[in-house]
């Protein structure tokens, strides 16, 4: 394909947008911004992973962050994200809204950045399809209101694509310096941005090399070198320490984050990951039944054939319009897969959100491509586009009517559950926090100035080797309460602690996956045996399966 770049030129015309296009763009921007603001001000509690990261953002100073002081709970995040989020904490306090404000701003910025990016790569109809996909994609809406850096990864990719369109053919040293500075800054806000930058270097440098334009190649070595040096500084000073922790590598290995090196298994893995990508992070699923290993059924239920066909048409569009884009997409993707094979970067759920703009452009290009074909293909293209957007729209509406659905398993009730205890707490009540809820309790006790203190279980699973001995230690803490008639027990449905190797210790999980909640189930049964439940926390939003459980026990 690189060889064909010798004579390839971009055929997407530059046009002055029509009034109708401008109106539709404005409406889609308002919808996208509105959805993000709605879920932002819904202001759900921080979930476990958010608490892990934001404990450091709240507690550490600017100086400590710049010095690379390790974050609590074995956390990592780009320095730019940490400093920006800490700034909002300094300005507005340590509330959820303050901690999520930087993600919200980058989420809204992503919508605006997509507009010039689509004008560079697509015609107006395709540009509107792309903007609609980004505006309605519920996983991307979620990341825009999550206090984690994955929404920033998305924004940085769009920023890099915008810079690529602006400086792709730059020849002046000033423009190349600007491009270099933009890419150099990006790696401090987004770890995976280096894959996108490397893909761009492959496209631009490869073309100049094939055309034997040595002077141009030497010029673009300026931004390329700036990107490499900036990434090296970011990686070795801040990202690398602790990044190869065995428990983390084991987690992503166990849950399919790394490509198998066997040819057949690797091909199946790639196909499965491509199909899953339409579900997360693009949110195109119509129906989703989480049946383990029922891949064919889920393929049909999720209407996966629709984005698959449009992606194929999108490849045909770019093959004719701009082969460089296909090289950029393939190069960036192959680098991620290679890093996955080497266990250096997982191809897993939220870790690949940064690739979403590439696939959105591909799907939108497919809609545009079919629009200019024969009557049958044109109407088929319209139908596929409607089906594509209908799934995203259905999910956006459903998850606005029932906001707890947006977060899925990440929907958390720590703040609400602890406020429930606060409202019903009486002097002399005992409060016991199980190890898997300790981080949430610690964070919110400081953030909300909770008036009660709890006995926090120190996680004795590795000290013992059987349930009777383990629960004897739990009971000792419970019965130490001043009033055994009223003991609040707070625990989570998350059956794993930060730093655990999945499935260990073996006696605790008894061969079960930690996601099954076997250990939590045993705790619940034990509590019902030693006491009578007098009161329990129930979410007011209708969620039947909250992540945090609160029981008021009368111990026997």
């Amino acid at each position: 394909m690189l060889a064909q770049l010798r004579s390839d030129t971009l055929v997407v015309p530059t046009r002055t947008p029509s009034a109708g296009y401008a109106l539709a763009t404005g409406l889609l921007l308002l919808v996208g911004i509105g959805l993000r603001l709605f879920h932002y001000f819904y202001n759900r509690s921080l979930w476990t992973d958010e608490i892990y990261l934001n404990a450091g953002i709240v507690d550490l100073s600017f100086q400590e962050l710049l010095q690379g002081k390790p974050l609590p709970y074995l956390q990592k995040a780009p320095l730019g994200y940490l400093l920006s989020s800490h700034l909002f904490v300094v300005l507005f306090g340590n509330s959820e809204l303050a901690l999520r404000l930087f993600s919200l701003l980058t989420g809204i910025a992503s919508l605006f950045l997509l507009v010039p990016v689509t004008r560079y790569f697509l015609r107006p109809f395709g540009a509107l399809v792309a903007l609609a996909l980004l505006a309605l994609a519920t996983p991307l809406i979620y990341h825009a209101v999550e206090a984690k850096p994955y929404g920033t990864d998305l924004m940085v990719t769009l920023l890099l694509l915008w810079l690529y369109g602006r400086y792709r053919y730059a020849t002046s040293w000033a423009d190349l310096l600007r491009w270099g500075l933009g890419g150099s800054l990006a790696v401090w806000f987004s770890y995976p941005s280096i894959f996108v930058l490397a893909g761009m270097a492959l496209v631009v440098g490869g073309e100049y090399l094939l055309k034997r334009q040595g002077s141009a190649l030497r010029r673009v070595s300026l931004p390329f070198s700036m990107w490499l040096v900036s990434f090296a500084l970011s990686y070795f000073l801040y990202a690398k320490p602790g990044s190869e922790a065995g428990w983390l590598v084991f987690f992503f290995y166990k849950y399919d984050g790394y490509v198998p090196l066997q040819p057949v298994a690797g091909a199946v893995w790639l196909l499965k990951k491509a199909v899953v990508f339409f579900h997360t992070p693009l949110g195109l699923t119509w129906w989703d039944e989480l049946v383990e290993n029922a891949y064919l059924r889920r393929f049909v239920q999720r209407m996966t054939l629709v984005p698959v066909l449009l992606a194929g048409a999108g490849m045909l569009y770019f093959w004719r319009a701009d082969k460089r884009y296909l090289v950029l997409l393939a190069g960036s993707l192959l680098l991620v897969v290679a890093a996955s094979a080497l266990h250096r970067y997982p191809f897993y759920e939220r870790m690949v959100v940064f690739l979403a703009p590439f696939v959105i452009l591909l799907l939108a290009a497919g809609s545009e491509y079919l629009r200019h074909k024969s009557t049958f293909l044109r109407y088929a293209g319209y139908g596929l586009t409607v089906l594509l957007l209908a799934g995203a729209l259905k999910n956006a509406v459903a998850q606005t009517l029932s906001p707890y659905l947006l977060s899925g398993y990440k929907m958390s009730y720590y703040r609400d559950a602890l406020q429930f205890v606060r409202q019903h707490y009486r002097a002399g009540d005992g409060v016991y926090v199980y190890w898997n809820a300790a981080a949430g309790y610690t964070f919110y006790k400081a953030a909300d100035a909770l008036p009660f203190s709890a006995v926090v279980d120190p996680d004795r699973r590795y000290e013992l080797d059987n349930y009777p001995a383990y629960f004897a230690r739990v009971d000792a803490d419970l019965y130490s309460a001043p009033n055994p008639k009223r003991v609040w027990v707070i625990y989570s449905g998350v059956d794993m602690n930060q730093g655990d190797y999945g499935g260990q210790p073996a006696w605790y999980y008894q061969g079960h996956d930690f996601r099954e909640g076997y250990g939590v189930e045993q705790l619940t049964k034990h509590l019902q045996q030693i006491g009578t439940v007098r009161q329990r926390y129930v979410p007011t939003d209708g969620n039947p399966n909250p992540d945090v459980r609160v029981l008021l026990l009368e111990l026997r």
Side-chain angles (χ1 to χ4, degrees):
M1 185 186 295
L2 275 171
Q4 299 201 36
L5 296 181
R6 294 176 184 269
S7 59
D8 182 45
T9 56
L10 187 69
V11 299
V12 178
T14 302
R15 298 178 177 177
T16 302
S18 66
Y21 167 82
L23 177 61
T25 298
L27 290 175
L28 288 172
L29 287 172
L30 287 175
V31 169
I33 294 170
L35 289 171
R36 284 153 178 80
L37 288 175
F38 172 82
H39 288 286
Y40 175 72
F41 286 111
Y42 181 71
N43 195 27
R44 59 179 176 79
S45 169
L46 297 177
W47 78 291
T48 304
D49 278 16
E50 286 180 298
I51 289 170
Y52 285 154
L53 177 61
N54 287 278
I57 290 174
V58 169
D59 293 339
L60 299 186
S61 66
F62 285 117
Q63 182 179 358
E64 289 171 323
L65 292 171
L66 286 167
Q67 290 173 343
K69 182 176 180 178
L71 299 173
Y73 302 111
L74 307 173
Q75 292 295 291
K76 285 284 180 186
L79 181 63
Y81 175 86
L82 294 174
L83 294 174
S84 300
S85 297
H86 184 71
L87 174 63
F88 288 123
V89 169
V90 171
L91 293 175
F92 305 115
N94 58 353
S95 68
E96 295 90 348
L97 293 179
L99 290 166
R100 292 180 175 135
L101 183 54
F102 185 66
S103 294
L104 175 70
L105 295 176
T106 59
I108 292 174
S110 295
L111 292 166
F112 285 97
L113 280 168
L114 184 63
V115 175
V117 168
T118 55
R119 286 179 183 172
Y120 179 80
F121 288 107
L122 301 170
R123 296 172 185 266
F125 179 79
L128 291 176
V129 172
L131 185 55
L133 286 171
L134 179 58
L136 298 173
T138 49
L140 300 181
I141 295 171
Y142 169 78
H143 287 299
V145 293
E146 181 189 39
K148 299 277 282 183
Y150 307 114
T152 304
D153 291 340
L154 173 77
M155 187 273 291
V156 168
T157 295
L158 285 165
L159 176 63
L160 294 177
L161 287 171
W162 176 74
L163 291 171
Y164 171 84
R166 186 176 181 87
Y167 297 115
R168 163 70 187 81
Y169 296 104
T171 56
S172 72
W173 288 111
D175 284 344
L176 291 171
L177 180 61
R178 293 187 188 98
W179 196 14
L181 289 172
S184 298
L185 185 63
V187 298
W188 293 89
F189 285 86
S190 170
Y191 288 148
S193 63
I194 190 60
F195 297 119
V196 181
L197 291 169
M200 292 176 177
L202 174 67
V203 172
V204 177
E207 182 176 5
Y208 287 144
L209 185 64
L210 288 171
K211 292 180 177 180
R212 299 180 181 178
Q213 296 179 351
S215 175
L217 185 60
R218 285 190 293 272
R219 282 179 173 268
V220 294
S221 66
L222 171 64
F224 298 170
S225 300
M226 293 173 66
W227 302 343
L228 183 60
V229 170
S230 184
F231 170 74
L233 289 172
S234 172
Y235 178 73
F236 288 107
L237 290 177
Y238 295 99
K240 188 178 187 299
S243 63
E244 299 175 358
W247 68 272
L248 192 59
V249 174
F250 181 83
F251 176 88
F252 287 119
Y253 173 80
K254 185 177 176 68
Y255 296 108
D256 214 22
Y258 299 128
V259 58
L261 297 181
Q262 299 84 358
V264 175
V268 172
W269 181 91
L270 286 170
L271 180 61
K272 187 167 64 174
K273 289 294 182 180
V275 170
V276 169
F277 197 91
F278 297 130
H279 172 60
T280 303
L282 294 186
L284 300 177
T285 295
W286 278 51
W287 300 279
D288 188 39
E289 184 179 342
L290 294 177
V291 179
E292 289 295 326
N293 301 317
Y295 297 118
L296 180 59
R297 187 196 305 182
R298 291 165 73 177
F299 181 91
V300 174
Q301 288 177 332
R302 290 178 173 181
M303 297 289 284
T304 309
L305 190 61
V306 172
V308 166
L309 291 173
L310 285 173
M315 291 181 187
L316 294 174
Y317 173 90
F318 281 114
W319 182 260
R320 295 185 60 184
D322 186 7
K323 295 181 180 68
R324 298 176 188 84
Y325 180 79
L326 294 179
V327 177
L328 174 57
L329 171 60
S332 300
L333 183 59
L334 286 174
L335 287 168
V336 179
V337 172
S340 171
L342 295 171
H343 292 187
R344 290 296 180 267
Y345 192 86
F347 200 108
Y348 180 84
E349 198 190 57
R350 54 196 178 271
M351 307 299 290
V352 293
V353 166
F354 78 98
L355 292 172
F358 289 107
V359 182
I360 286 174
L361 289 174
L362 194 66
L363 294 172
S367 297
E368 185 65 62
Y369 178 80
L370 293 174
R371 185 168 174 263
H372 296 281
K373 294 301 169 183
S374 65
T375 301
F376 172 77
L377 289 177
R378 181 167 67 252
Y379 284 106
Y382 286 140
L384 289 172
T385 302
V386 169
L387 290 174
L388 184 78
L389 295 177
L393 178 62
K394 186 269 298 183
N395 293 331
V397 172
Q399 294 176 24
T400 300
L401 295 176
S402 299
Y404 73 85
L405 294 174
L406 179 76
S407 307
Y409 73 89
K410 301 173 185 176
M411 181 63 190
S412 185
Y413 296 87
Y414 272 110
R415 181 191 61 215
D416 314 77
L418 290 167
Q419 289 299 324
F420 175 82
V421 175
R422 182 177 199 161
Q423 293 166 9
H424 297 89
Y425 178 82
R426 299 178 188 173
D429 284 1
V431 181
Y432 173 81
V433 176
Y434 197 51
W435 59 263
N436 64 5
Y441 164 76
T442 302
F443 182 89
Y444 276 107
K445 179 170 177 56
D448 292 348
L450 297 176
F452 54 84
S453 295
V455 174
V456 180
D457 178 78
D459 190 4
R460 299 186 177 96
R461 293 174 301 153
Y462 294 94
E463 301 174 10
L464 305 163
D465 60 4
N466 63 83
Y467 271 109
Y470 178 70
F471 283 138
R473 300 291 293 275
V474 171
D475 291 351
D477 288 334
L478 288 170
Y479 282 97
S480 68
N483 181 9
K485 296 293 185 181
R486 288 181 59 88
V487 179
W488 295 94
V489 180
I490 304 167
Y491 62 107
S492 168
V494 177
D495 209 8
M496 184 177 180
N497 216 353
Q498 194 76 341
D500 280 357
Y501 283 77
Q504 296 297 322
W507 72 264
Y508 180 83
Y509 292 101
Q510 299 287 306
H512 292 268
D513 189 297
F514 84 91
R515 293 174 296 184
E516 298 175 31
Y518 178 81
V520 172
E521 182 182 341
Q522 303 313 303
L523 174 66
T524 302
K525 291 178 180 178
H526 179 73
L527 293 174
Q528 292 171 345
Q529 291 170 357
I530 65 171
T532 302
V533 178
R534 296 304 183 189
Q535 207 167 0
R536 70 176 69 237
Y537 167 70
V538 178
T540 59
D541 60 8
N543 189 343
N545 190 31
D547 66 323
V548 182
R549 292 89 188 270
V550 173
L551 304 177
L552 175 59
L553 286 183
E554 180 181 325
L555 297 176
R556 297 188 180 97

